[in-house]
């Protein structure tokens, strides 16, 4: 019987063929781990092809989970443990595994033919090439198949339980609770009793195999992480975004209307909101991206909260309608779950290269607020904030998420909905002006003097009938105007309205525990995790570094300029070629050190740590 | 299932007149434009529907016809090129109490906005689309449109247009439309009847309106309206005859439809128009009597009017069936999900 050893943190990567159920296996291990009380962060990584040819490198799908007894912020750069279900999964992931790492491998597919398929002349399990790793090789497929022999399954169905066998084995190895998975399998396969029972049997057999095999010298525990008191669930960025949008509409007392078109990696928001008719959400899968945002804007005109969700290529198509929303000054929330570009790029890989598109990607002077979420759970707060700004200021708002946040999951302390302040739509119900004839009139472009938000009257309100549209509007009356002075006034007013939102934006907080940092690392979006983790390591090594993270990219917090000017060096890590850096340099005329990575993956914290140390030390030496 | 397109729209407590539907904006179409007659007829027709003025929304795209909403004193949006059906879909889905109109043209609806038109018709969202067809781009000053005849000489086709034109009625029938009609700017009575029927139809109604552009395509419909032309008026339940009964439309033994002299055929061969036929093939065949080039012959009237659930009604029904009464509690439960755990301060 293996003895138990306590660990602080573990990174496990499950890898297999895209038909092997690795995402499900990872999800379940994550759910067990989250309910046990560890902090978690996950990184699913899958091919865009639904079923690439079996056993090939392009067909490899993986799921990485980082869990710990302390607060963690990334899914980990490199795994400690690689679970490889076939030769391709081993080959594709081996280069990420540090020497000394653990490999648990299913030997079933290590035939000459399968090895040749991926260009391996020799079997690495036998030729000694894996001697630098701790290798645990089992015929998981045969073990799983044997464990389900009593059920009347086809050979193929029987072998497909191997992922549950592996999950059972790993659950034993890391002392995970199993009730959740048993309940999950019971519910998922309720209508297929044979498949249900076989999966449960394979899962239990995998767990029991760990007990009896004696192959493992140790069994591990990772104690729960300290977390603020409360009720938690695990949540992905896309689901958190969906909930933030529902909550925003609920708090505003408005019907949530989603117009969307399927696109990776944003579709899960459409899926989640489509399920939510129980809370009154109306969803519309449109014929294209343009119709999706058009219908959302139409819904807003009709007095709903219109929302559209997409990714970069969809943003390009929606640009004209977003411009119409700027001109008509209607609330609209546009969520861009960024992916690698340009063009179709790498749909399942992450990037944050749509910032300049969000800020400037429309014809004419068309400013609008831009927000970015920093983590999966932060997607909830950011989406809620986007709804608040959209309704309060009568403006389209772009929320930037990305593929990494969309699919990655982490524990989330459930919000108390009663504590979230209401959003007041302040619909006009009465005339707000007197026309030239002295009659009461409704001027749709009459503005709230504090917010510059225009009057919003929903159709059906008697006496406030009015027409709006894409043509330039006369200030106050909203009639068509080609007057030169009026156009300048309206252009400046739209900018002032955008700038005025800064009154609602909290000052940017700088995290510098020592108070002695001369280098500021400024981030936005999902680089929050790697930046925070890298800075912790830098500080542990005795160096001071300051951190700040922007949620509000347009307008930016009022104190940002002062902060930028108070450091000797400002480093901006981005998964693009320096888009925030461009904006900061233009706006604040400060030198910015760019730090760009565009590999379709989150920035490596190990690399960032080393580079930050170099930057900090260079500054010291130069002094 | 409500059957009228106006079913959930509140009725006006006092009688309304054309004046109530006239905005204070000066109408700025070219002198002699067919749009004037359509606007005036529309305003009068709206007053007869007896619905609250504030519950009407008119969405337009871009083009001469798309200035329409500014001149009608209801709610309205002059949106972007081709997208009006999409925007109107969001309006209609959100609000069953609104009477939703789309005003568009041949370029707006059939060229840049073809996709949205097609899908609006397929879904059958409760709204009425008025397609002003003048067979030319007017606002951009005279380029050929998707309904211009082959060989049309315009600024962008100095050697003659090479594009095969669309027949908007055929297109709509092919796109699963539940109400398809054609009328003409110069016939106020016919226009009124068709617009009223379209408004009362539940689902998407497509009305093609032949509209003269006196500047860039004058007299495009003149031959049709003149002594040599033939407007074939379709009347539900009646044999399709025209020219004072001299001519008729027959179905040949091979199934084709064609025009014949009434005197030469047996009465049983004459097509009896039935706008409610579930099968769209006869309506489609009638739509093909329209000539693609110089118009000398075209049927007008309601080609097709069949009951079909409107998409927005179905969406609302789905929501109503599962919507939980206590929304705040339901939201809290949704957000928590099935798997939560409690953490103590550690």
């Amino acid at each position: 019987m293996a003895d138990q050893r306590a660990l602080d943190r573990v990174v496990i990567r499950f890898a297999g063929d895209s038909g092997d159920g690795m995402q499900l296996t990872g999800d379940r291990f994550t759910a067990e781990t989250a309910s046990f009380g560890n902090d978690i962060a996950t990184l699913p990584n899958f091919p865009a092809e639904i079923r690439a040819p079996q056993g090939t490198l392009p067909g490899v799908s993986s799921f990485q989970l980082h869990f710990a007894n302390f607060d963690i912020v990334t899914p980990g750069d490199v795994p400690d443990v690689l679970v490889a279900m076939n030769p391709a999964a081993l080959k594709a992931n081996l280069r990420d595994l540090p020497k000394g790492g653990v490999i648990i491998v299913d030997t079933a597919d290590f035939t000459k033919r399968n090895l040749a398929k991926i260009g391996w002349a020799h079997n690495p399990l036998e030729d000694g090439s894996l001697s630098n790793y701790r290798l645990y090789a089992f015929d998981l497929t045969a073990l799983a198949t044997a464990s389900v022999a009593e059920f009347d399954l086809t050979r193929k169905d029987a072998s497909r339980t191997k992922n549950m066998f592996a999950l059972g084995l790993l659950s034993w190895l890391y002392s995970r609770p199993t009730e959740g998975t048993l309940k999950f399998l019971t519910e998922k396969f309720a209508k297929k009793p044979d498949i249900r029972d076989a999966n449960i049997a394979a899962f239990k057999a995998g767990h029991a195999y760990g007990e009896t095999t004696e192959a493992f010298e140790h069994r591990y525990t990772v104690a729960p992480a300290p977390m603020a008191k409360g009720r938690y669930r695990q949540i992905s960025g896309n689901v958190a975004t969906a909930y933030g949008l529902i909550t925003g509409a609920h708090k505003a007392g408005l019907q949530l209307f989603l117009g969307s078109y399927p696109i990776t990696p944003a579709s899960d928001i459409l899926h989640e909101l489509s399920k939510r008719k129980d809370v009154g959400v109306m969803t519309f899968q449109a014929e294209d991206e343009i119709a999706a945002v058009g219908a959302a804007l139409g819904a807003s005109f009709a007095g709903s909260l219109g929302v559209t969700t997409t990714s970069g290529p969809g943003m390009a198509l929606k640009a004209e309608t977003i411009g119409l929303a700027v001109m008509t000054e209607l609330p609209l929330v546009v969520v861009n779950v960024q992916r690698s570009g340009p063009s179709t790029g790498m749909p399942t890989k992450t990037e944050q290269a749509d910032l300049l598109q969000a800020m400037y990607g429309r014809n004419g002077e068309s400013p609008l607020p831009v927000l970015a979420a920093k983590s999966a759970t932060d997607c909830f707060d950011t989406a809620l904030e986007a709804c608040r700004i959209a309704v309060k200021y009568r403006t389209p708002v772009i929320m930037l998420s990305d593929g990494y946040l969309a699919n990655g999951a982490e524990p989330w302390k459930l919000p108390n909905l009663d504590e979230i302040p209401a959003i007041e739509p302040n619909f006009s119900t009465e005339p707000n002006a007197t026309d030239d004839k002295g009659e009461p009139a409704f001027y749709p472009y009459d503005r709230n003097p504090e917010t510059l938000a225009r009057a919003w009257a929903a159709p059906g309100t008697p006496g406030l009938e009015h027409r709006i549209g894409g043509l330039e509007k006369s200030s106050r009356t909203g009639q068509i105007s080609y007057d030169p002075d009026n156009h300048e006034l309206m252009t400046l007013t739209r900018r002032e309205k955008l700038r005025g939102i800064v009154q609602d934006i909290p000052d940017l907080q700088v995290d510098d525990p020592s108070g002695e940092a001369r280098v500021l690392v400024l981030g936005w979006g999902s680089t929050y995790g790697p930046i925070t983790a890298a800075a912790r390591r830098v500080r542990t090594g005795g160096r001071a570094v300051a951190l700040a993270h922007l949620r509000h990219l347009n307008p930016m917090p009022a104190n940002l300029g002062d902060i930028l000017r108070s450091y000797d060096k400002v480093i901006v890590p981005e998964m693009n070629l320096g888009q925030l850096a461009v904006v900061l340099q233009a706006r604040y005329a400060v030198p910015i050190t760019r730090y760009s990575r565009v590999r379709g993956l989150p920035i490596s914290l190990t690399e960032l740590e080393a580079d930050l140390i170099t930057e900090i030390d260079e500054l010291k030496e130069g002094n | 299932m409500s059957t009228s397109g106006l079913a959930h729209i509140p009725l006006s407590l006092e009688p309304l007149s054309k004046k109530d539907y006239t905005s204070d904006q000066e109408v700025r179409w070219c002198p002699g434009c067919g749009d004037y007659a359509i606007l005036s007829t529309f305003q009068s027709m709206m007053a007869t529907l007896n619905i609250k003025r504030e519950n009407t929304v008119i969405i337009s795209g871009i083009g001469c016809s798309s200035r329409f909403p500014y001149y009608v004193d209801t709610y309205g949006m002059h949106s972007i090129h081709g997208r009006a059906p999409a925007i109107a879909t969001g309006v209609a889905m959100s609000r069953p109490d609104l009477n939703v109109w789309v005003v568009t043209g041949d370029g707006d609806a059939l060229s840049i906005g073809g996709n949205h038109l097609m899908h609006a018709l397929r879904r059958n969202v409760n709204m009425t689309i008025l397609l002003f067809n003048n067979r030319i781009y007017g606002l951009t000053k005279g380029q050929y449109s998707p309904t211009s005849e082959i060989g049309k000489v315009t600024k962008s086709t100095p050697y003659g247009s090479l594009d095969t034109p669309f027949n908007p009625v055929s297109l709509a029938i092919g796109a699963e439309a539940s109400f398809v009609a054609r009328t003409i700017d110069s016939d106020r009575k016919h226009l009124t009847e068709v617009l009223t029927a379209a408004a009362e139809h539940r689902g998407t109604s497509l009305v093609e309106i032949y509209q003269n552009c006196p500047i860039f395509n004058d007299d495009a419909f003149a031959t049709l309206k003149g002594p040599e032309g033939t407007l074939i008026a379709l009347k539900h339940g009646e044999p399709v005859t025209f020219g004072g009964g001299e001519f008729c439309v027959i179905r040949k033994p091979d199934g084709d439809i064609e025009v014949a002299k009434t005197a030469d055929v047996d009465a049983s061969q004459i097509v009896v128009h039935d706008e409610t036929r579930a099968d769209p093939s006869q309506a489609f065949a009638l739509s093909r009597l329209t000539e693609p080039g110089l118009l000398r012959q075209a049927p007008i009237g309601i080609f097709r009017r069949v009951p079909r659930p409107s998409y927005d009604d179905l969406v609302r029904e789905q929501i109503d069936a599962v919507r939980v009464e206590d929304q705040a509690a339901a939201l809290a439960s949704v957000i928590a999900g099935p798997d939560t755990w409690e953490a103590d301060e550690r």
Side-chain angles (χ1 to χ4, degrees), chain A residues 182-481:
Chain A
L182 294 173
K183 179 166 168 262
F184 169 84
L185 291 172
T186 305
E187 286 166 9
K188 182 176 168 75
F189 298 115
K191 287 182 185 151
K192 298 175 183 167
D194 268 2
I195 302 285
R196 173 195 65 200
D197 295 345
N199 274 289
I200 288 173
F203 176 73
K204 286 182 170 171
H207 200 273
Y209 186 71
E211 284 292 347
T212 54
T213 175
E214 296 188 357
F216 296 98
E217 312 87 80
H218 310 294
R219 191 181 175 191
Y220 301 96
T221 58
V222 178
M227 288 191 191
K229 189 175 166 58
R231 181 154 283 279
Y232 285 77
R233 64 169 285 171
Q234 63 152 318
I235 196 162
S236 69
N238 273 348
V239 174
T241 300
Y243 292 172
L245 295 171
I246 303 174
T247 305
H250 175 75
K251 284 290 166 183
L254 299 175
Q255 162 88 59
L256 181 64
F257 181 99
L258 172 76
S260 190
Y261 186 79
I263 186 168
T264 302
S267 300
D268 278 344
I269 306 176
L270 166 64
H271 302 160
E272 185 60 35
L273 288 174
S274 298
K275 280 191 235 163
R276 296 281 71 99
K277 299 187 194 329
D278 49 356
V279 286
V281 176
M282 186 175 274
T283 56
F284 172 58
Q285 182 177 315
E287 58 271 23
D288 60 26
E289 297 279 1
I290 298 171
V293 66
L297 187 65
S300 285
F301 179 65
S304 298
L305 177 56
V307 172
T308 189
T309 51
T310 188
S311 188
M315 285 301 286
L317 287 164
K318 292 180 198 295
E320 188 184 16
T321 310
I322 298 172
L324 178 64
V326 169
M327 196 59 143
T328 53
E329 303 192 37
L330 284 167
L332 178 73
V333 176
V334 180
V335 179
N336 175 2
V337 185
Q338 300 164 97
R339 66 191 215 187
S340 301
S343 188
T344 309
M346 300 194 288
T348 57
K349 309 298 176 194
T350 198
E351 204 159 271
Q352 46 181 183
D354 297 348
L355 175 61
L356 295 179
Q357 180 194 41
M359 302 271 281
Y360 306 116
R362 290 163 296 286
N363 62 302
E365 294 288 349
S366 54
L368 53 72
V370 180
L371 313 178
K374 66 178 181 182
S375 65
T377 57
D378 190 51
C379 286
F380 177 86
D381 300 301
T382 307
L384 179 60
E385 173 82 348
C387 295
R388 184 180 302 282
I389 292 175
V391 172
K392 181 173 176 182
Y393 291 92
R394 282 51 164 144
T395 178
V397 177
I398 293 178
M399 167 179 164
L400 298 173
S401 171
D402 64 39
Y404 164 49
L405 299 184
N407 295 311
E410 57 180 10
W412 182 42
K413 184 166 180 285
L414 297 179
N416 182 344
L417 297 178
D418 296 336
E419 288 171 3
I420 296 172
I423 300 170
E424 187 41 69
N426 282 317
F427 283 112
S428 297
T429 52
E430 301 287 336
N432 58 3
T434 308
D435 67 15
D436 335 338
K437 296 171 210 141
E439 301 284 323
F442 177 66
Y443 287 171
Y445 282 74
D446 189 54
R447 293 175 190 280
N448 175 316
E450 275 166 37
T451 60
L452 297 182
R454 77 168 183 88
W456 183 20
T461 314
L464 308 194
E465 295 83 359
H466 65 279
R467 278 67 58 193
I468 55 175
L471 288 171
E472 181 60 287
K473 298 288 170 290
S474 178
S475 70
R476 295 202 69 217
T477 67
Q479 308 290 12
I480 301 170
S481 171

Side-chain angles (χ1 to χ4, degrees), chain A residues 13-17 20 55-57 60-62 81-97 101-107 110 115 118 120 122-127 129-130 133-137:
Chain A
R13 186 181 293 178
F14 295 93
D17 209 60
D20 283 346
T56 60
L57 292 170
V60 174
S61 162
S62 72
V81 181
L82 172 63
V83 180
M85 301 303 283
N86 69 3
L90 179 62
K91 186 170 187 188
N93 291 284
L94 194 57
R95 65 172 179 176
D96 292 340
L97 191 69
V102 172
I103 299 171
I104 298 172
V105 64
D106 181 1
T107 59
F110 280 71
L115 292 167
I118 55 164
W120 264 343
H122 304 282
N123 186 344
L125 306 181
E126 292 163 359
D127 67 4
S129 61
L130 300 178
Y133 304 95
R134 286 187 283 158
L135 178 67
Y136 299 93

Side-chain angles (χ1 to χ4, degrees), chain A residues 28 34-35 37 183 224-234 243 246-247 250 257 276-288 290-291 294-295 297-299 301-302 304 320-321 324 328 330 380 411-412 414-415 417 457-471 473 479-480 482, chain B residues 23-25 28 53-59 67 69-81 83 86-95 97-98 112 115-117 119-120 122-123 311-312 315-316 318-319 322-325 327-328 330-332 334-346:
Chain A
R28 284 317 313 161
S35 70
K183 179 166 168 262
M227 288 191 191
K229 189 175 166 58
R231 181 154 283 279
Y232 285 77
R233 64 169 285 171
Q234 63 152 318
Y243 292 172
I246 303 174
T247 305
H250 175 75
F257 181 99
R276 296 281 71 99
K277 299 187 194 329
D278 49 356
V279 286
V281 176
M282 186 175 274
T283 56
F284 172 58
Q285 182 177 315
E287 58 271 23
D288 60 26
I290 298 171
L297 187 65
F301 179 65
S304 298
E320 188 184 16
T321 310
L324 178 64
T328 53
L330 284 167
F380 177 86
W412 182 42
L414 297 179
L417 297 178
T461 314
L464 308 194
E465 295 83 359
H466 65 279
R467 278 67 58 193
I468 55 175
L471 288 171
K473 298 288 170 290
Q479 308 290 12
I480 301 170
Y482 284 86
Chain B
S23 80
D24 60 357
Q25 296 296 295
R28 288 190 195 162
R53 186 168 60 98
E54 62 268 24
N55 286 72
T56 289
V57 175
I58 306 173
I59 310 286
R67 291 293 183 103
Y70 291 115
Y71 308 136
V72 186
D73 198 5
T74 63
Y75 285 86
M77 191 196 290
H78 177 211
S79 72
I80 37 183
H81 206 13
R83 317 304 172 201
I87 293 169
T89 294
V91 175
M93 285 176 71
S94 297
R95 295 279 300 272
D97 61 329
L98 299 179
I112 193 168
N115 198 30
H116 309 305
L117 178 74
H119 288 279
R122 167 177 76 85
R123 288 193 190 96
Y311 174 78
D312 47 317
V315 168
R316 288 184 293 261
Q318 265 192 354
I319 294 174
V322 295
R323 193 174 189 275
V324 177
E325 191 61 39
Q327 287 282 287
L331 179 55
V334 161
I335 284 179
D339 290 316
T340 62
W341 69 91
E342 200 75 42
D344 300 323
E345 209 85 52
R346 281 190 287 257

